[in-house]
Amino acid sequence: MAQLEEKVRSFAEELFKIGAIKIGEYVTKMNIPTPIYIDLRLIVSFPKLIELVSDIMIEYLKQIPKFDIICGVPYAALPLASALSMKLNIPMVMRRKESKSYGMRKMIEGVYKEGDRCLIIEDVVTSGSSIIETLEDLNEVGIHCSHALILMDRQQGGTNNLIKEGVTMHSLLNMTHLLKYLREANYIDDSTVNKVTNYMLTTQVDLSSNSIPSLNRLKLPYEERIAYAKNNRAQELFKIMSEKRTNLCVAADVTKSDELISLANQTGPYICLFKTHIDILEDFNIDVVEALKKIAEKHNFLLFEDRKFSDIGKTVQMQYSNGMYKILSWANVVTAHSLAGAGMLDAIKHGNNGVFLLAEISTSGSIIDKNYTEKTVKLALQYPDLVTGIVCQNPLFTSEPGFIQLTPGVQLDVEGDGLGQKYNTPDVVIGNGADIAVVGRGITKSSEPNVAAEKYRSLLWGAYLKRIE
Ligand code: 6AU
């Protein structure tokens, strides 16, 4: 047994030496930031290491009941499963990641029969979700699996999640032992051990609950949410918001270019987003947006055209790029309605830009219902690279810290505008989940927009600090 432990220790050290263990700021497959990243795909380039791993695996097999076939979870575990299959002379099957679009659309390749007992091989387990996907495909064709042999258990809930599926997990190495061996070899220091241990304990993934409690966006500071955002503009916004200490977007709904430019100059120091309805300008000229771009750069905010695209993809594409406003050439983010569905989102995907999808509207008598709102949120979450956030009035996606809730309809001491608009105070909207609040007439109608902007910024920021406390 001591000999086996020495082999496992040397396996851990080798992993570090080949660069398969990375310490720093990374993100896991489930989009959770992590201070340690383990990339076992690298070991395909080190045959001696595969040999060592297969020897250790064979030792572990003594604890596992007999099986008829082996299946590796694609892709990282495939070379390990092949090595084991050859050493033991036990056949292997392979699970496809996607089914073929031709032929028999089989998910499991290789020879097997109903009732075969299978051992699943996996490299790293966090939640166990990849093993569960493989298990489902194997079960579908009548193959039974009750044991999985894995190289590395991150100890973040995988064991429990798999037990619920009837699978016992056997791991060669777990995070506790990995940290111990690396510390003893002086590859890492005590502070790394503490940081990773603390992370492991606080970031447990329970696949049977719909949300991950530690990922409540309402409680996370903006700077910590950068790591969860997939859309570049969302990342930029979180950065600007943290640096400038502002979650204020001004809605610059004015009809003259010089007024628009003056508003940008006056409110610039206090905002993260400058929102326009460019088509309400009576004297539009492309120079206006050139001027706005310069002010945005000077004061570090993003330009946001509230175009509320809603047509078929092809038309939206032209509305976005062409015409006299050439929105794509200057707006960093835009708004869109979700009613045309995924095709419209595919059509407006452009480089770095971002979209806020409208899931709720701030007017009384709106005909948007719960079903539409839920479908919009679902659609938005399917486009994390494109969607910066969601325009809404309620905390609809609290377990998705990478997306931004943008809430308009904010003004102090006013309940409505007589045309359907409903207002809430900064405290109320931040309490209702807003990450960025949009203030229009509360600022634009003030005799001193700079003073009003600073007042709203300070109130909104205070409410946010209270929320994350
Ligand atoms: O503060 P106000 O009422 O002067 O301005 C609110 C701004 C306007 C609206 O077009 C916009 O916010 N808006 C939106 C957005 C941003 O899409 C959605 C919504 O539900 N309500 C709303 O007022 O520029």
Side-chain angles (χ1 to χ4, degrees), residues 251 253 275 277 306 308 335 358 360-362 391 393 406 408-410 421 423 438-441:
D253 296 342
K275 189 176 83 65
H277 281 296
D306 189 2
K308 296 195 179 71
T335 43
L358 216 99
E360 289 176 329
I361 195 151
S362 60
V391 183
Q393 300 290 319
L406 184 100
V410 184
Q421 176 72 307
Y423 290 113
V438 179
V439 182
R441 283 162 283 183

Side-chain angles (χ1 to χ4, degrees), residues 198-330:
N198 187 35
Y199 161 80
M200 240 162 61
L201 294 173
T202 53
T203 319
Q204 293 289 313
V205 188
D206 178 359
L207 294 177
S208 59
S209 86
N210 289 331
S211 65
I212 302 161
S214 55
L215 287 187
N216 183 354
R217 80 173 156 87
L218 304 180
K219 289 285 166 201
L220 281 179
Y222 297 135
E223 64 268 29
E224 285 182 27
R225 291 170 58 184
I226 299 171
Y228 299 99
K230 288 254 175 75
N231 173 253
N232 290 341
R233 296 305 184 188
Q235 290 173 5
E236 254 179 272
L237 270 171
F238 282 133
K239 218 159 153 249
I240 294 173
M241 291 156 78
S242 324
E243 282 169 13
K244 285 178 74 175
R245 299 171 61 80
T246 177
N247 44 2
L248 170 65
C249 164
V250 66
D253 296 342
V254 291
T255 54
K256 297 279 189 286
S257 302
D258 54 358
E259 263 184 84
L260 188 69
I261 289 170
S262 162
L263 261 177
N265 272 318
Q266 290 193 67
T267 58
Y270 313 108
I271 59 172
C272 57
L273 272 178
F274 188 76
K275 189 176 83 65
T276 52
H277 281 296
I278 206 71
D279 57 354
I280 62 177
L281 282 185
E282 288 164 357
D283 54 353
F284 176 80
N285 171 319
I286 202 76
D287 293 344
V288 178
V289 291
E290 288 308 320
L292 287 181
K293 278 192 331 204
K294 286 206 181 98
I295 304 168
E297 203 175 324
K298 179 175 166 202
H299 289 299
N300 192 25
F301 59 77
L302 297 189
L303 293 176
F304 177 15
E305 169 55 18
D306 189 2
R307 177 61 182 78
K308 296 195 179 71
F309 293 116
S310 58
D311 216 313
I312 60 164
K314 185 64 199 162
T315 305
V316 165
Q317 235 171 24
M318 292 192 287
Q319 290 171 325
Y320 195 12
S321 313
N322 306 109
M324 66 175 170
Y325 301 118
K326 300 195 175 20
I327 296 168
L328 177 62
S329 72
W330 56 272

Side-chain angles (χ1 to χ4, degrees), residues 11 15 20-21 38-44 76 123-124 151-152:
F11 166 50
L15 288 181
I21 314 279
I38 299 165
D39 183 3
L40 296 194
R41 279 166 301 205
L42 283 183
I43 69 176
V44 289
D123 63 337
V124 183
L151 265 49
M152 171 75 204

